[in-house]
Amino acid sequence: MTLSILGYLLAGLVLLVAGGEGVVRGAAALGMRLGLSSLATGLTIVAFGTSAPELVVNIEAATLGEGGLAVGNVVGSNIANIGLVLGVAVLVRPMGLDVRAVRNDIYVMLGVSALAWFFLVNGNIGQAEGGILALGIIIYVWVNVLAARRETEPAQASFEGAIHGRDRPVWLDLLMLGIGLVALLAGGRLFVHGALDLSGNIGLSPTVIGLTVVAVGTCLPELATTAIAAWRGYGDMAIGNVVGSNIFNVLSVLGITALIHPLERGDVNLVDLLVFLLSGAVLLRLIVTGSRLARWEGAVLLAGFCIYTGWRVTA
């Protein structure tokens, strides 16, 4: 790998992470100024903002005709969220959680993953399929906002610490939002450019790069936040972050990208799609047993991810 390729990837990743943070903080503060509750803001603006890096990368890849990289990014990110992110988080600290808090979201994640699997296994994702997925995220967010209105004051207050901005001047929120959007666009272009150069340099297809390098790169923010939540003993938040990210990756990132530009499946094969589907099914154990995740289970998840990634790179 040449230094220029590594530079593109690192610079793009830094801009994506910084841009996503700027968009989240600026837009969330503006949303609360407009009367949205902290919880509703967290479920809408913040959730979309944390998916922004993946969305920008996918749109950039799709417009360059690299649909395989875009599809690989979503499939690989969801696999990485379970195997890498959740695996590392459980190794950091075994998780005890209230399954009732995430049961419905796990079912939604499994349902949308099965829908995406059906679309992909039967061919490419066109604008009609993208429209169905994008409609799904609108419905999902709307249902969650309605549920947020029924939450108790402690639940609402729990989001206040994570979303700041009412004490800042409005021009600073607008500036953060604008800089964040510019950074996202620039970072997405650099990261995709670096990924495609890497693909040609080491002889792997853009799809495989999307399934591995791009997927891991764009899920690093989730890795950091989930590991921190686990370390602090917030098992529900850690699991919710992984599940929510997977839902948004399929419905908003894959859906909106396909709605803008039809996606070819590329080299994403049936094994990739099977791992994509089965990785989410791992969380069914939480629903059935309702028990904590032990360190050995985190080790199994991480080992499974490493084995899959190693096989995909060398296959």
Side-chain angles (χ1 to χ4, degrees), residues 17 30 41 231 233 247 296:
V17 173
L30 289 171
T41 301
W231 176 255
I247 292 171
W296 71 266

Side-chain angles (χ1 to χ4, degrees), residues 289-305:
T289 65
S291 61
R292 61 194 283 121
L293 285 170
R295 276 200 174 93
W296 71 266
E297 292 174 293
V300 169
L301 288 174
L302 184 58
F305 171 76

Side-chain angles (χ1 to χ4, degrees), residues 40 43-44 47-48 136-146 248:
L43 291 168
T44 54
F48 272 115
I137 197 60
I138 294 172
I139 295 172
Y140 176 74
V141 168
W142 179 249
V143 170
N144 275 281
V145 169
L146 292 180
F248 271 80

Side-chain angles (χ1 to χ4, degrees), residues 55-280:
L55 180 59
V56 170
V57 165
N58 269 29
I59 291 175
E60 177 71 16
T63 55
L64 292 175
E66 298 293 346
L69 191 154
V71 173
N73 181 30
V74 171
V75 172
S77 290
N78 279 26
I79 294 172
N81 277 339
I82 301 293
L84 175 63
V85 175
L86 189 58
V88 169
V90 176
L91 283 174
V92 167
R93 182 169 181 171
M95 293 183 191
L97 67 155
D98 180 3
V99 178
R100 293 172 299 178
V102 294
R103 179 188 290 115
N104 290 338
D105 291 300
I106 290 176
Y107 285 139
V108 171
M109 183 195 72
L110 294 173
V112 301
S113 297
L115 181 60
W117 177 88
F118 175 78
F119 287 157
L120 288 169
V121 83
N122 283 281
N124 304 324
I125 294 190
Q127 290 179 317
E129 291 85 355
I132 292 172
L133 294 174
L135 178 61
I137 197 60
I138 294 172
I139 295 172
Y140 176 74
V141 168
W142 179 249
V143 170
N144 275 281
V145 169
L146 292 180
R149 292 178 179 175
R150 297 192 295 269
E151 290 289 349
T152 60
E153 287 299 321
Q156 292 279 355
S158 68
F159 281 81
E160 292 287 355
I163 304 174
H164 303 285
R166 283 179 168 172
D167 55 343
R168 291 196 303 262
V170 66
W171 67 264
L172 188 56
D173 293 331
L174 290 170
L175 180 63
M176 289 178 66
L177 178 59
I179 292 175
L181 289 171
V182 172
L184 276 175
L185 293 173
R189 181 157 295 184
L190 286 173
F191 198 69
V192 171
H193 184 81
L196 292 175
D197 284 351
L198 177 63
S199 170
N201 190 265
I202 64 178
L204 293 176
S205 72
T207 299
V208 175
I209 295 297
L211 284 163
T212 54
V213 176
V214 177
V216 171
T218 55
C219 83
L220 287 179
E222 284 90 345
L223 175 61
T225 56
T226 304
I228 291 170
W231 176 255
R232 293 178 178 174
Y234 299 126
D236 294 347
M237 183 180 297
I239 294 289
N241 185 43
V242 168
V243 172
S245 177
N246 279 13
I247 292 171
F248 271 80
N249 279 345
V250 172
L251 295 181
S252 65
V253 177
L254 191 60
I256 293 173
T257 305
L259 194 59
I260 295 173
H261 194 290
L263 297 174
E264 295 182 359
R265 199 173 83 185
D267 295 332
V268 174
N269 59 37
L270 294 179
V271 175
D272 299 319
L273 295 177
L274 184 62
V275 174
F276 163 74
L277 199 58
L278 293 180
S279 61

